[in-house]
């Protein structure tokens, strides 16, 4: 496989007969040699897959043949090698888990903002810019001036809203996430709670980095992605961020220069929890790998 195509996709839509579509998608991906993860629920589909040009085209053609999914948000990038070890097609209660009943992002999400108009919106000092991603993602890159909710999981976002956004229902709010799916559900939640001026970045950070020239960008750092590339930068080029093999946290290029980062042993996120027994075990594992 000379060039691997990576496709990130999602769609909030009422998806009838989820089990049938899940099985058909599994078969389609297997026949096309495509790997990755696809989540299906009554509310739609979410996932990232990778394969050859022909393989990705075959899966994309099947997805677009399903009326409910024909208008899915879809973006492609490339990888030097296959970023997924296997194929997973799962049926879930939600395609992105917030745990709030009665949300319908397909009908009640906030106002889309195209990447080309995003800089103007977030440069307005009256606009509250919120990064809906989790802490470990925010740590390697975000938009300048964005507020991080301090969440470890997306289901904590409603608590953040109740705790920190009181009295701000009239304020312009702009939210963003990796590919658009989390902030689409987050804007639907804010509108359910009575917030009136809610916007979100169409296509997420990935589309922004793909569309907006680096010299015009208000993004600092890299964007975490959920595959073996770890992170991407402007133009969706693979970034310099690596994954800590001890705890799984992303480690930026700057963090890799710190004393806390020791390859296969520790990083700034886990070094304080590393006792002597754990360090000895990790050092033994590293020695075994180097000797094999």
């Amino acid at each position: 496989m000379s060039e691997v195509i990576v496709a990130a996709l999602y769609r909030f839509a009422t998806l009838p007969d989820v089990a049938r579509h899940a099985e058909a998608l599994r078969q389609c991906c297997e026949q096309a040699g495509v790997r990755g993860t696809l989540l299906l629920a009554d509310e739609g589909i979410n996932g990232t897959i990778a394969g050859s040009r022909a393989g990705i085209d075959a899966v994309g053609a099947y997805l677009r043949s399903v009326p409910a999914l024909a208008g899915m948000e879809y973006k492609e990038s490339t990888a030097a090698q296959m970023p997924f070890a296997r194929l997973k097609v799962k049926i879930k209660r939600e395609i992105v888990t917030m745990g709030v009943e009665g949300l319908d992002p397909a009908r009640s999400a906030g106002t889309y903002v195209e990447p080309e108009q995003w800089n103007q919106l977030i440069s307005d000092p009256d606009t509250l810019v919120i990064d809906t991603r989790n802490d470990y993602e925010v740590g390697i890159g975000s938009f300048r001036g964005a507020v991080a909710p301090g969440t470890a999981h997306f289901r904590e976002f409603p608590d953040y809203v109740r705790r920190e956004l009181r009295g701000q229902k009239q304020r312009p709010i702009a939210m963003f996430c990796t590919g658009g799916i989390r902030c689409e559900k987050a804007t639907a939640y804010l509108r359910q709670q009575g917030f009136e001026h809610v916007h979100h970045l169409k296509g997420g950070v990935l589309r922004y980095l793909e569309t907006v020239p680096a010299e015009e960008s208000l993004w600092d750092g890299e964007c975490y992605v959920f595959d073996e590339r770890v992170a991407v930068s402007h133009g969706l080029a693979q970034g310099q961020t690596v994954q800590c093999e001890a705890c799984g946290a992303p480690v930026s290029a700057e963090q890799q220069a710190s004393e806390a980062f020791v390859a296969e042993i520790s990083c700034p996120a886990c070094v304080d929890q590393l006792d002597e027994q754990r360090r000895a075990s990790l050092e033994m594992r590293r020695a075994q790998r180097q000797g094999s």
Side-chain angles (χ1 to χ4, degrees):
M1 186 179 293
S2 58
E3 182 180 63
V4 180
I5 308 299
V6 183
L9 58 99
Y10 78 90
R11 172 74 166 170
F12 282 108
T14 301
L15 185 62
D17 205 353
V18 173
R20 177 175 65 83
H21 288 303
E23 183 55 33
L25 262 177
R26 185 188 311 278
Q27 294 179 14
C28 182
C29 290
E30 289 175 347
Q31 292 170 3
V34 167
R35 301 178 190 172
T37 299
L38 290 168
L39 306 179
L40 292 90
D42 292 339
E43 68 178 7
I45 189 170
N46 177 29
T48 305
I49 53 176
S52 66
R53 175 77 274 166
I56 291 296
D57 286 347
V59 177
Y62 172 79
L63 289 168
R64 293 184 180 93
S65 74
V66 179
L69 304 179
M72 64 184 174
E73 182 69 33
Y74 180 91
K75 60 187 70 66
E76 290 186 354
S77 57
T78 60
Q81 58 187 10
M82 171 58 74
F84 298 108
R86 60 186 65 86
L87 170 68
K88 300 177 184 177
V89 180
K90 299 181 178 181
I91 298 174
K92 309 284 280 186
R93 290 189 63 183
E94 299 177 74
I95 57 173
V96 57
T97 303
M98 180 183 278
V100 176
E101 297 293 333
L103 285 182
D104 186 2
R107 296 177 180 271
S108 60
T111 302
Y112 286 117
V113 179
E114 296 289 344
E116 295 84 354
Q117 282 76 53
W118 183 251
N119 285 0
Q120 181 179 354
L121 174 64
I122 67 172
S123 296
D124 185 337
D126 292 332
T127 300
L128 174 61
V129 185
I130 301 176
D131 190 335
T132 66
R133 302 172 306 149
N134 297 323
D135 275 347
Y136 65 93
E137 300 167 81
V138 177
I140 64 169
S142 191
F143 282 107
R144 295 168 203 167
V147 173
T151 57
H153 304 282
F154 186 51
R155 59 179 174 268
E156 298 171 10
F157 184 76
D159 287 336
Y160 161 76
V161 173
R162 288 190 288 268
R163 187 178 66 249
E164 302 293 339
L165 300 187
R166 293 178 182 175
Q168 302 195 61
K169 291 186 177 181
Q170 303 301 318
R171 185 177 182 182
I173 295 177
M175 296 196 286
F176 64 92
C177 58
T178 307
I181 185 170
R182 275 180 285 185
C183 49
E184 194 158 325
K185 182 167 272 192
T187 60
Y189 176 74
L190 285 188
R191 293 191 66 195
Q192 183 193 69
Q193 300 304 306
F195 289 80
E196 296 184 7
H197 307 290
V198 185
H199 307 78
H200 55 120
L201 177 59
K202 185 172 177 58
V205 179
L206 295 181
R207 178 154 292 176
Y208 181 92
L209 294 177
E210 179 182 33
T211 305
V212 177
E215 60 272 17
E216 299 176 14
S217 175
L218 297 181
W219 177 267
D220 291 329
E222 297 178 347
C223 180
Y224 182 83
V225 291
F226 297 87
D227 59 55
E228 291 180 7
R229 294 173 298 170
V230 185
V232 296
S233 58
H234 288 90
L236 301 186
Q238 184 166 341
Q240 297 180 322
T241 300
V242 300
Q243 203 100 30
C244 175
E245 294 191 42
C247 71
V251 188
S252 68
E254 181 180 357
Q255 291 170 328
Q256 290 168 46
S258 75
E259 293 182 357
F261 178 71
V262 181
E264 302 183 43
I265 304 295
S266 66
C267 75
C270 68
V271 67
D272 290 340
Q273 287 77 47
L274 189 65
D275 57 28
E276 292 184 8
Q277 182 177 359
R278 175 63 171 162
R279 178 179 287 276
S281 174
L282 291 170
E283 288 177 344
M284 181 179 295
R285 185 182 69 174
R286 182 173 64 175
Q288 290 172 341
R289 286 181 176 178
Q290 293 173 344
S292 61

